[in-house]
Amino acid sequence: MSGSGSLRAGALIDLGALRGNVRALRARASGAAFMAVVKADAYGHGALACARAAVDAGATWVGTATPEEALALRAGGIGPDRARVMCWLWTPGGPFREGIEADLDISVSGLWALREVADAARAAGRPAKVQLKADTGLGRNGCQPADWPELVTEALRAESAGLLRITGLWSHLACADEPGHDSIDAQLTLFRELVAYAEERGARPDVRHIANSPATLTRPDAHFDLVRPGIAMYGISPSPECGTPADFGLRPVMTLTASLALVKHVPGGHGVSYGHRYVTPGDTTLGLIPLGYGDGIPRHASGTGPVLVGGKWRTVAGRIAMDQFVVDLGGDEPPVGADAVLFGPGDRGEPTAEDWAQAAGTIAYEIVTRIGSRVPRVYVDEGAPTDVGAPGAKGSGR
Ligand SMILES: *Cc1c(COP(=O)(O)O)cnc(C)c1O
Protein backbone atom coordinates (compact mmCIF):
# COMPACT_ATOMS: atom_id res chain seq x y z
CA MET A 1 0.00 0.00 0.00
CA SER A 2 1.49 3.31 -0.99
CA GLY A 3 0.90 5.68 1.87
CA SER A 4 1.01 9.41 2.20
CA GLY A 5 4.69 9.57 3.15
CA SER A 6 5.45 11.77 6.12
CA LEU A 7 2.04 13.43 6.08
CA ARG A 8 -0.37 13.25 9.02
CA ALA A 9 -2.94 12.15 6.51
CA GLY A 10 -3.56 12.46 2.81
CA ALA A 11 -6.12 11.81 0.15
CA LEU A 12 -4.27 10.14 -2.70
CA ILE A 13 -5.96 10.97 -5.99
CA ASP A 14 -5.20 8.51 -8.77
CA LEU A 15 -5.63 10.54 -11.96
CA GLY A 16 -4.78 7.53 -14.10
CA ALA A 17 -7.78 5.75 -12.58
CA LEU A 18 -9.94 8.80 -13.28
CA ARG A 19 -8.90 8.84 -16.93
CA GLY A 20 -9.61 5.10 -17.16
CA ASN A 21 -13.07 5.67 -15.67
CA VAL A 22 -13.81 8.41 -18.19
CA ARG A 23 -12.81 6.06 -21.01
CA ALA A 24 -14.93 3.22 -19.61
CA LEU A 25 -17.96 5.52 -19.32
CA ARG A 26 -17.43 6.97 -22.78
CA ALA A 27 -17.33 3.45 -24.22
CA ARG A 28 -20.72 2.80 -22.58
CA ALA A 29 -22.20 5.97 -24.10
CA SER A 30 -20.28 6.03 -27.34
CA GLY A 31 -22.88 8.05 -29.24
CA ALA A 32 -22.92 10.85 -26.70
CA ALA A 33 -20.60 13.66 -25.69
CA PHE A 34 -19.14 13.46 -22.17
CA MET A 35 -19.59 16.14 -19.51
CA ALA A 36 -17.28 15.63 -16.53
CA VAL A 37 -19.18 16.81 -13.45
CA VAL A 38 -16.65 18.43 -11.10
CA LYS A 39 -18.92 20.36 -8.71
CA ALA A 40 -18.02 20.54 -5.00
CA ASP A 41 -14.30 20.42 -5.81
CA ALA A 42 -14.82 17.31 -7.93
CA TYR A 43 -16.63 15.48 -5.10
CA GLY A 44 -13.63 16.27 -2.91
CA HIS A 45 -11.03 15.07 -5.42
CA GLY A 46 -9.82 18.51 -6.63
CA ALA A 47 -11.75 20.24 -9.41
CA LEU A 48 -8.98 21.57 -11.60
CA ALA A 49 -6.81 18.45 -11.61
CA CYS A 50 -9.83 16.22 -12.25
CA ALA A 51 -11.22 18.48 -14.98
CA ARG A 52 -7.86 18.44 -16.76
CA ALA A 53 -7.55 14.68 -16.50
CA ALA A 54 -11.11 14.16 -17.73
CA VAL A 55 -10.50 16.44 -20.73
CA ASP A 56 -7.30 14.52 -21.49
CA ALA A 57 -9.41 11.35 -21.53
CA GLY A 58 -11.94 12.77 -23.98
CA ALA A 59 -14.45 14.82 -22.02
CA THR A 60 -15.52 17.76 -24.20
CA TRP A 61 -17.73 19.32 -21.53
CA VAL A 62 -17.17 20.10 -17.84
CA GLY A 63 -20.09 20.75 -15.48
CA THR A 64 -20.37 22.48 -12.12
CA ALA A 65 -23.20 23.54 -9.86
CA THR A 66 -22.27 27.16 -9.20
CA PRO A 67 -21.01 29.86 -11.58
CA GLU A 68 -18.12 30.53 -9.18
CA GLU A 69 -16.93 26.95 -9.64
CA ALA A 70 -17.22 27.25 -13.41
CA LEU A 71 -15.38 30.59 -13.55
CA ALA A 72 -12.57 29.10 -11.42
CA LEU A 73 -12.10 26.36 -14.02
CA ARG A 74 -11.82 28.93 -16.80
CA ALA A 75 -9.35 30.96 -14.69
CA GLY A 76 -7.39 27.75 -14.02
CA GLY A 77 -6.82 27.10 -17.70
CA ILE A 78 -9.83 25.10 -18.90
CA GLY A 79 -10.35 27.50 -21.78
CA PRO A 80 -13.09 27.41 -24.41
CA ASP A 81 -10.61 25.72 -26.75
CA ARG A 82 -10.35 22.78 -24.30
CA ALA A 83 -13.93 22.27 -23.14
CA ARG A 84 -17.42 23.73 -22.95
CA VAL A 85 -18.15 24.59 -19.33
CA MET A 86 -21.72 24.55 -18.00
CA CYS A 87 -23.14 25.46 -14.59
CA TRP A 88 -26.68 25.23 -13.32
CA LEU A 89 -27.19 26.75 -9.89
CA TRP A 90 -27.78 30.45 -10.36
CA THR A 91 -29.37 32.95 -7.99
CA PRO A 92 -30.59 36.49 -8.67
CA GLY A 93 -27.74 38.96 -9.08
CA GLY A 94 -25.33 36.13 -9.97
CA PRO A 95 -22.29 36.71 -12.19
CA PHE A 96 -24.22 36.38 -15.47
CA ARG A 97 -22.06 38.88 -17.33
CA GLU A 98 -18.82 37.23 -16.19
CA GLY A 99 -20.33 33.91 -17.22
CA ILE A 100 -21.11 35.17 -20.71
CA GLU A 101 -17.65 36.70 -21.06
CA ALA A 102 -16.10 33.38 -19.93
CA ASP A 103 -18.19 31.59 -22.56
CA LEU A 104 -20.07 29.43 -20.03
CA ASP A 105 -23.22 27.55 -20.89
CA ILE A 106 -25.76 29.01 -18.48
CA SER A 107 -28.69 26.93 -17.26
CA VAL A 108 -32.00 28.74 -17.03
CA SER A 109 -35.00 27.30 -15.19
CA GLY A 110 -37.25 30.34 -14.99
CA LEU A 111 -38.17 33.71 -16.42
CA TRP A 112 -36.23 35.69 -13.82
CA ALA A 113 -32.99 34.06 -14.95
CA LEU A 114 -33.83 34.53 -18.62
CA ARG A 115 -34.27 38.28 -17.98
CA GLU A 116 -30.98 38.54 -16.08
CA VAL A 117 -29.14 36.63 -18.82
CA ALA A 118 -30.59 38.86 -21.53
CA ASP A 119 -29.66 42.03 -19.64
CA ALA A 120 -26.13 40.72 -19.06
CA ALA A 121 -25.78 39.81 -22.75
CA ARG A 122 -26.82 43.32 -23.74
CA ALA A 123 -24.21 44.75 -21.35
CA ALA A 124 -21.52 42.34 -22.53
CA GLY A 125 -22.30 43.02 -26.18
CA ARG A 126 -22.40 39.33 -27.05
CA PRO A 127 -25.02 36.58 -26.94
CA ALA A 128 -25.25 34.17 -24.00
CA LYS A 129 -25.23 30.39 -24.35
CA VAL A 130 -28.39 29.28 -22.58
CA GLN A 131 -29.55 25.79 -21.71
CA LEU A 132 -33.20 25.51 -20.74
CA LYS A 133 -33.80 23.11 -17.87
CA ALA A 134 -37.09 21.26 -17.46
CA ASP A 135 -38.34 19.65 -14.27
CA THR A 136 -39.50 16.31 -15.65
CA GLY A 137 -40.22 14.96 -12.18
CA LEU A 138 -37.25 15.50 -9.86
CA GLY A 139 -39.11 18.30 -8.11
CA ARG A 140 -36.00 20.35 -7.50
CA ASN A 141 -34.56 22.87 -9.96
CA GLY A 142 -35.94 23.16 -13.51
CA CYS A 143 -39.02 24.64 -15.14
CA GLN A 144 -42.37 22.98 -14.46
CA PRO A 145 -44.00 21.52 -17.61
CA ALA A 146 -46.91 23.95 -17.22
CA ASP A 147 -44.50 26.89 -17.40
CA TRP A 148 -42.34 25.43 -20.20
CA PRO A 149 -44.24 27.02 -23.13
CA GLU A 150 -43.74 30.51 -21.70
CA LEU A 151 -40.02 29.91 -20.95
CA VAL A 152 -39.43 28.49 -24.43
CA THR A 153 -41.33 31.33 -26.10
CA GLU A 154 -39.40 34.00 -24.20
CA ALA A 155 -36.07 32.29 -24.87
CA LEU A 156 -36.82 32.06 -28.60
CA ARG A 157 -37.77 35.74 -28.61
CA ALA A 158 -34.44 36.66 -26.93
CA GLU A 159 -32.65 34.42 -29.41
CA SER A 160 -34.28 36.27 -32.32
CA ALA A 161 -33.16 39.54 -30.74
CA GLY A 162 -29.56 38.26 -30.79
CA LEU A 163 -29.24 38.20 -27.00
CA LEU A 164 -28.74 34.47 -26.59
CA ARG A 165 -28.48 31.13 -28.29
CA ILE A 166 -30.43 28.15 -26.95
CA THR A 167 -27.54 25.66 -26.77
CA GLY A 168 -29.20 22.94 -24.75
CA LEU A 169 -32.44 21.39 -23.49
CA TRP A 170 -31.97 19.31 -20.41
CA SER A 171 -33.29 17.75 -17.22
CA HIS A 172 -32.21 15.61 -14.28
CA LEU A 173 -33.43 12.22 -13.01
CA ALA A 174 -34.78 11.52 -9.52
CA CYS A 175 -34.40 7.75 -9.07
CA ALA A 176 -31.95 6.49 -11.69
CA ASP A 177 -29.93 4.85 -8.90
CA GLU A 178 -32.89 2.52 -8.30
CA PRO A 179 -32.91 0.61 -11.61
CA GLY A 180 -36.45 -0.19 -12.72
CA HIS A 181 -38.05 2.63 -10.72
CA ASP A 182 -41.26 3.73 -12.49
CA SER A 183 -40.28 7.39 -12.43
CA ILE A 184 -37.38 6.83 -14.86
CA ASP A 185 -39.58 5.93 -17.84
CA ALA A 186 -42.03 8.67 -16.91
CA GLN A 187 -39.29 11.29 -16.80
CA LEU A 188 -37.79 10.15 -20.12
CA THR A 189 -41.20 10.28 -21.82
CA LEU A 190 -41.92 13.76 -20.52
CA PHE A 191 -38.41 14.92 -21.45
CA ARG A 192 -38.92 13.80 -25.06
CA GLU A 193 -42.22 15.70 -25.16
CA LEU A 194 -40.74 18.91 -23.77
CA VAL A 195 -37.77 18.70 -26.17
CA ALA A 196 -40.15 18.14 -29.10
CA TYR A 197 -42.24 21.12 -28.02
CA ALA A 198 -39.23 23.44 -28.03
CA GLU A 199 -37.83 22.09 -31.29
CA GLU A 200 -41.19 22.34 -33.08
CA ARG A 201 -41.21 26.03 -32.20
CA GLY A 202 -37.72 26.57 -33.56
CA ALA A 203 -35.18 25.70 -30.84
CA ARG A 204 -32.00 24.21 -32.33
CA PRO A 205 -29.99 23.03 -29.30
CA ASP A 206 -26.47 21.63 -29.61
CA VAL A 207 -27.26 19.06 -26.94
CA ARG A 208 -30.20 17.38 -25.21
CA HIS A 209 -29.28 15.58 -21.99
CA ILE A 210 -30.63 13.98 -18.83
CA ALA A 211 -28.25 11.13 -17.83
CA ASN A 212 -26.31 11.20 -14.55
CA SER A 213 -24.00 8.32 -13.58
CA PRO A 214 -26.65 5.67 -12.92
CA ALA A 215 -28.48 6.45 -16.17
CA THR A 216 -25.17 6.47 -18.06
CA LEU A 217 -24.44 3.00 -16.65
CA THR A 218 -27.86 1.39 -16.86
CA ARG A 219 -30.10 3.29 -19.30
CA PRO A 220 -28.74 3.66 -22.86
CA ASP A 221 -32.10 5.14 -23.87
CA ALA A 222 -31.33 8.10 -21.59
CA HIS A 223 -28.00 9.03 -23.21
CA PHE A 224 -29.39 11.43 -25.88
CA ASP A 225 -26.56 13.76 -27.09
CA LEU A 226 -24.52 13.99 -23.89
CA VAL A 227 -24.06 12.19 -20.57
CA ARG A 228 -23.18 13.90 -17.28
CA PRO A 229 -21.49 11.44 -14.93
CA GLY A 230 -20.12 12.58 -11.61
CA ILE A 231 -19.74 9.81 -9.02
CA ALA A 232 -18.92 7.05 -11.55
CA MET A 233 -16.03 9.12 -12.91
CA TYR A 234 -14.56 8.98 -9.41
CA GLY A 235 -14.85 5.18 -9.56
CA ILE A 236 -17.76 4.82 -7.14
CA SER A 237 -21.03 3.10 -7.92
CA PRO A 238 -24.09 5.37 -7.60
CA SER A 239 -25.74 2.78 -5.35
CA PRO A 240 -25.23 -0.86 -4.37
CA GLU A 241 -28.40 -1.68 -6.40
CA CYS A 242 -26.69 -0.45 -9.56
CA GLY A 243 -23.75 -2.81 -9.06
CA THR A 244 -20.14 -2.58 -7.96
CA PRO A 245 -17.54 -0.33 -9.59
CA ALA A 246 -15.81 -3.42 -10.97
CA ASP A 247 -19.05 -4.49 -12.70
CA PHE A 248 -18.62 -1.40 -14.88
CA GLY A 249 -14.83 -1.41 -15.20
CA LEU A 250 -14.54 1.53 -12.79
CA ARG A 251 -11.80 2.05 -10.21
CA PRO A 252 -12.11 4.27 -7.12
CA VAL A 253 -9.90 7.34 -7.49
CA MET A 254 -9.47 8.45 -3.85
CA THR A 255 -7.49 6.60 -1.16
CA LEU A 256 -7.65 8.14 2.31
CA THR A 257 -4.72 7.25 4.53
CA ALA A 258 -3.32 8.49 7.83
CA SER A 259 -0.17 7.88 9.76
CA LEU A 260 -0.70 6.05 13.07
CA ALA A 261 -0.03 8.71 15.71
CA LEU A 262 0.23 6.51 18.81
CA VAL A 263 0.16 2.84 19.77
CA LYS A 264 -0.24 1.97 23.44
CA HIS A 265 -1.11 -0.82 25.82
CA VAL A 266 -4.16 -0.36 28.02
CA PRO A 267 -5.81 -2.63 30.56
CA GLY A 268 -9.31 -4.07 30.27
CA GLY A 269 -12.15 -1.82 31.36
CA HIS A 270 -10.54 1.34 29.95
CA GLY A 271 -13.01 3.85 28.51
CA VAL A 272 -12.10 5.16 25.06
CA SER A 273 -12.79 8.68 23.73
CA TYR A 274 -15.54 11.14 24.68
CA GLY A 275 -18.48 9.63 26.49
CA HIS A 276 -16.72 6.29 27.03
CA ARG A 277 -18.99 4.67 24.43
CA TYR A 278 -16.32 1.98 24.09
CA VAL A 279 -14.71 0.18 27.01
CA THR A 280 -11.83 -2.21 26.33
CA PRO A 281 -13.01 -5.80 26.86
CA GLY A 282 -9.58 -6.86 28.18
CA ASP A 283 -5.88 -6.02 27.96
CA THR A 284 -5.32 -4.64 24.48
CA THR A 285 -3.51 -2.12 22.31
CA LEU A 286 -5.08 1.05 20.98
CA GLY A 287 -4.07 2.95 17.84
CA LEU A 288 -4.65 6.66 17.41
CA ILE A 289 -5.76 7.84 13.95
CA PRO A 290 -5.17 11.58 13.42
CA LEU A 291 -8.38 12.29 11.48
CA GLY A 292 -11.77 13.39 12.76
CA TYR A 293 -14.99 15.10 11.84
CA GLY A 294 -13.00 18.29 11.27
CA ASP A 295 -11.55 16.42 8.30
CA GLY A 296 -14.96 15.20 7.16
CA ILE A 297 -14.85 11.78 8.81
CA PRO A 298 -18.52 11.21 9.66
CA ARG A 299 -19.17 11.17 13.43
CA HIS A 300 -22.07 8.83 12.66
CA ALA A 301 -19.43 6.16 11.97
CA SER A 302 -18.40 6.20 15.64
CA GLY A 303 -18.20 2.56 16.73
CA THR A 304 -18.65 1.25 13.17
CA GLY A 305 -16.19 2.74 10.63
CA PRO A 306 -13.57 0.31 9.27
CA VAL A 307 -9.82 1.02 8.96
CA LEU A 308 -7.04 -1.19 7.59
CA VAL A 309 -4.11 -1.16 10.03
CA GLY A 310 -1.32 -3.74 10.07
CA GLY A 311 -3.05 -5.96 7.55
CA LYS A 312 -6.37 -6.23 9.41
CA TRP A 313 -9.67 -4.37 9.44
CA ARG A 314 -10.12 -2.53 12.72
CA THR A 315 -13.23 -0.73 13.85
CA VAL A 316 -13.53 2.78 15.20
CA ALA A 317 -13.57 2.39 19.00
CA GLY A 318 -15.87 4.90 20.66
CA ARG A 319 -16.58 8.34 19.33
CA ILE A 320 -14.94 10.06 16.41
CA ALA A 321 -13.71 13.42 17.72
CA MET A 322 -12.93 16.58 15.78
CA ASP A 323 -9.33 15.70 15.02
CA GLN A 324 -8.79 12.08 15.97
CA PHE A 325 -10.27 8.71 16.72
CA VAL A 326 -9.08 5.41 18.15
CA VAL A 327 -9.09 1.84 16.89
CA ASP A 328 -8.71 -1.25 19.08
CA LEU A 329 -5.71 -3.15 17.71
CA GLY A 330 -6.49 -6.24 19.79
CA GLY A 331 -2.97 -6.62 21.16
CA ASP A 332 -1.18 -6.12 17.83
CA GLU A 333 1.66 -3.60 17.83
CA PRO A 334 2.06 -2.00 14.43
CA PRO A 335 4.75 0.71 14.55
CA VAL A 336 3.85 4.31 15.14
CA GLY A 337 3.70 5.95 11.72
CA ALA A 338 2.28 2.83 10.06
CA ASP A 339 -0.35 3.40 7.38
CA ALA A 340 -3.96 3.44 8.46
CA VAL A 341 -6.11 3.20 5.35
CA LEU A 342 -9.69 4.35 5.82
CA PHE A 343 -10.76 3.67 2.28
CA GLY A 344 -9.46 3.11 -1.22
CA PRO A 345 -10.14 0.98 -4.29
CA GLY A 346 -10.56 -2.06 -2.03
CA ASP A 347 -8.33 -4.44 -3.96
CA ARG A 348 -5.45 -4.35 -1.50
CA GLY A 349 -7.50 -5.34 1.51
CA GLU A 350 -8.66 -1.86 2.48
CA PRO A 351 -12.28 -0.77 3.00
CA THR A 352 -14.02 1.35 0.36
CA ALA A 353 -15.92 4.62 0.58
CA GLU A 354 -19.05 2.49 0.18
CA ASP A 355 -18.10 0.58 3.36
CA TRP A 356 -17.84 3.91 5.19
CA ALA A 357 -21.17 5.01 3.74
CA GLN A 358 -22.81 1.90 5.16
CA ALA A 359 -21.05 2.38 8.51
CA ALA A 360 -22.31 5.97 8.72
CA GLY A 361 -25.78 5.47 7.23
CA THR A 362 -25.16 7.65 4.21
CA ILE A 363 -24.07 7.43 0.57
CA ALA A 364 -20.51 7.14 -0.74
CA TYR A 365 -20.96 10.49 -2.52
CA GLU A 366 -21.04 12.18 0.88
CA ILE A 367 -18.03 10.27 2.23
CA VAL A 368 -15.60 11.47 -0.45
CA THR A 369 -17.13 14.92 -0.96
CA ARG A 370 -16.87 15.88 2.70
CA ILE A 371 -13.18 15.09 3.12
CA GLY A 372 -12.04 18.52 4.25
CA SER A 373 -9.43 21.01 3.17
CA ARG A 374 -7.17 20.08 6.12
CA VAL A 375 -6.41 16.81 4.30
CA PRO A 376 -3.92 17.45 1.49
CA ARG A 377 -4.73 15.95 -1.88
CA VAL A 378 -1.72 14.08 -3.18
CA TYR A 379 -1.94 13.51 -6.93
CA VAL A 380 -0.62 10.19 -8.15
CA ASP A 381 -0.41 10.16 -11.89
CA GLU A 382 1.22 7.15 -13.41
CA GLY A 383 1.15 7.08 -17.18
CA ALA A 384 0.25 10.74 -17.53
CA PRO A 385 0.79 12.38 -20.86
CA THR A 386 3.75 14.68 -20.21
CA ASP A 387 2.94 17.49 -22.60
CA VAL A 388 -0.50 18.59 -21.51
CA GLY A 389 0.04 20.46 -18.28
CA ALA A 390 -1.32 17.71 -16.05
CA PRO A 391 -0.28 18.04 -12.41
CA GLY A 392 3.09 16.41 -11.91
CA ALA A 393 3.49 12.94 -10.52
CA LYS A 394 2.99 12.97 -6.77
CA GLY A 395 2.76 16.75 -6.66
CA SER A 396 0.54 17.99 -3.89
CA GLY A 397 -2.48 19.90 -5.14
CA ARG A 398 -4.74 22.59 -3.66
C1 LIG B 1 -24.42 16.17 -9.59
C2 LIG B 1 -25.10 16.20 -10.88
C3 LIG B 1 -24.79 15.25 -11.88
C4 LIG B 1 -23.89 14.07 -11.62
O1 LIG B 1 -24.58 13.15 -10.80
P1 LIG B 1 -23.92 11.74 -10.43
O2 LIG B 1 -25.02 10.99 -9.79
O3 LIG B 1 -22.80 12.03 -9.51
O4 LIG B 1 -23.47 11.15 -11.71
C5 LIG B 1 -25.38 15.40 -13.11
N1 LIG B 1 -26.24 16.42 -13.35
C6 LIG B 1 -26.57 17.31 -12.41
C7 LIG B 1 -27.54 18.38 -12.73
C8 LIG B 1 -26.03 17.25 -11.15
O5 LIG B 1 -26.37 18.14 -10.22
Side-chain angles (χ1 to χ4, degrees), residues 189-398:
T189 299
L190 181 53
F191 183 57
R192 284 189 210 96
E193 286 169 18
L194 296 177
V195 166
Y197 179 91
E199 293 185 339
E200 277 156 20
R201 276 152 193 83
R204 293 288 171 267
D206 301 335
V207 284
R208 295 155 290 192
H209 51 108
I210 192 167
N212 53 2
S213 292
T216 302
L217 293 170
T218 67
R219 293 293 299 240
D221 58 334
H223 292 171
F224 293 91
D225 303 312
L226 177 150
V227 294
R228 305 189 307 268
I231 197 72
M233 189 172 69
Y234 306 106
I236 294 172
S237 173
S239 66
E241 298 94 299
C242 285
T244 68
D247 291 340
F248 301 108
L250 302 171
R251 181 170 175 79
V253 171
M254 183 189 291
T255 296
L256 183 63
T257 71
S259 178
L260 210 53
L262 186 68
V263 177
K264 64 182 179 184
H265 286 268
V266 295
H270 203 304
V272 174
S273 191
Y274 295 130
H276 281 180
R277 294 306 170 93
Y278 183 79
V279 177
T280 54
D283 279 6
T284 190
T285 46
L286 298 178
L288 183 64
I289 313 285
L291 283 168
Y293 62 78
D295 302 293
I297 309 304
R299 190 170 174 275
H300 275 96
S302 294
T304 57
V307 185
L308 180 70
V309 184
K312 292 185 201 158
W313 279 36
R314 322 286 178 164
T315 304
V316 176
R319 284 199 174 132
I320 292 172
M322 186 181 290
D323 314 303
Q324 43 194 311
F325 67 85
V326 173
V327 291
D328 189 333
L329 296 169
D332 294 346
E333 296 181 53
V336 164
D339 275 346
V341 185
L342 280 75
F343 59 82
D347 57 358
R348 291 164 297 191
E350 75 280 17
T352 62
E354 182 59 43
D355 293 320
W356 271 83
Q358 287 183 8
T362 183
I363 54 176
Y365 289 72
E366 188 179 3
I367 297 297
V368 291
T369 302
R370 290 186 67 153
I371 298 306
S373 57
R374 195 164 64 174
V375 179
R377 271 58 173 176
V378 180
Y379 292 95
V380 186
D381 199 358
E382 277 141 41
T386 49
D387 57 344
V388 290
K394 306 215 168 189
S396 180
R398 291 159 61 111

Side-chain angles (χ1 to χ4, degrees), residues 35 37 39 43 64-65 88 133 140 170-172 210-214 216 228-234 238 365:
M35 179 187 289
V37 177
K39 62 191 182 189
Y43 297 38
T64 69
W88 45 78
K133 181 171 195 183
R140 201 176 66 178
W170 75 296
S171 189
H172 195 36
I210 192 167
N212 53 2
S213 292
T216 302
R228 305 189 307 268
I231 197 72
M233 189 172 69
Y234 306 106
Y365 289 72

Side-chain angles (χ1 to χ4, degrees), residues 7-8 46 105 119-120 136 151 153 163 166 177-178 212 254 271 273 323 331 369 372 395:
L7 295 171
R8 168 185 71 103
D105 276 67
D119 289 347
T136 54
L151 185 67
T153 302
L163 294 171
I166 300 171
D177 58 344
E178 297 174 48
N212 53 2
M254 183 189 291
S273 191
D323 314 303
T369 302

